[in-house]
Amino acid sequence: MALKVLIVDDDFINRKLLHTLLKKNPDVTDMIEAENGSDALDKMKKDPDINLILLDIMMPIVDGIEFLKIFRSDMANGHIPVIVLSTDDTRKTEVFDNGANDFLRKPVKEEILFAKIAQWSQA
């Protein structure tokens, strides 16, 4: 399966780390990076082929929760899985209530991330 993944994180190092991890995954063929939720929404509009989103919560301009609210309000996006990556476990319920499919604690472990990607890309 060829996956196009949108990495949404305001931290350049986190984006690069995820990029490096995803390069090792044979299912991931393309990666797009966004610095915040607003940037991510623009990229989603421009590229309807994105089929998985890795989303940070704490970001400037439009944070992860706001992104989820806007993103999930469009029924056309219902099939695209969103995996939230955060250091803050207390936000778990909130992200699921707003339409996230999964939650991973940072720092992300490669094998767990790949298992989640496999799970959601086949769902």
Side-chain angles (χ1 to χ4, degrees), residues 84-107:
V84 170
L85 311 175
S86 180
T87 52
D88 188 356
D89 278 345
T90 64
R91 309 281 302 268
K92 247 185 189 172
T93 308
E94 189 181 6
V95 302
F96 285 122
D97 287 350
N98 284 289
N101 298 82
D102 219 324
F103 184 96
L104 279 181
R105 191 162 167 67
K106 287 180 181 176

Side-chain angles (χ1 to χ4, degrees), residues 6-12 14-15 18 32-44 53-71 82-88 91 94-95 106:
L6 177 61
I7 301 167
V8 189
D9 197 314
D10 60 317
D11 187 308
F12 177 79
N14 284 343
R15 288 198 311 273
L18 282 168
I32 297 167
E33 296 180 18
E35 292 179 23
N36 58 59
S38 175
D39 189 21
L41 290 164
D42 287 344
K43 292 199 163 129
M44 288 300 302
I53 299 171
L54 299 177
L55 180 68
D56 182 32
I57 301 176
M58 306 294 275
M59 295 181 292
I61 306 167
V62 174
D63 70 9
I65 302 296
E66 277 307 304
F67 170 83
L68 280 166
K69 287 177 183 169
I70 298 163
F71 184 69
V82 178
I83 301 173
V84 170
L85 311 175
S86 180
T87 52
D88 188 356
R91 309 281 302 268
E94 189 181 6
V95 302
K106 287 180 181 176

Side-chain angles (χ1 to χ4, degrees), residues 1-42:
M1 172 175 248
L3 287 176
K4 187 179 270 196
V5 179
L6 177 61
I7 301 167
V8 189
D9 197 314
D10 60 317
D11 187 308
F12 177 79
I13 293 159
N14 284 343
R15 288 198 311 273
K16 289 300 158 214
L17 181 72
L18 282 168
H19 199 102
T20 304
L21 278 179
L22 292 172
K23 265 191 184 154
K24 298 181 196 171
N25 187 319
D27 293 332
V28 177
T29 54
D30 203 359
M31 289 166 272
I32 297 167
E33 296 180 18
E35 292 179 23
N36 58 59
S38 175
D39 189 21
L41 290 164
D42 287 344

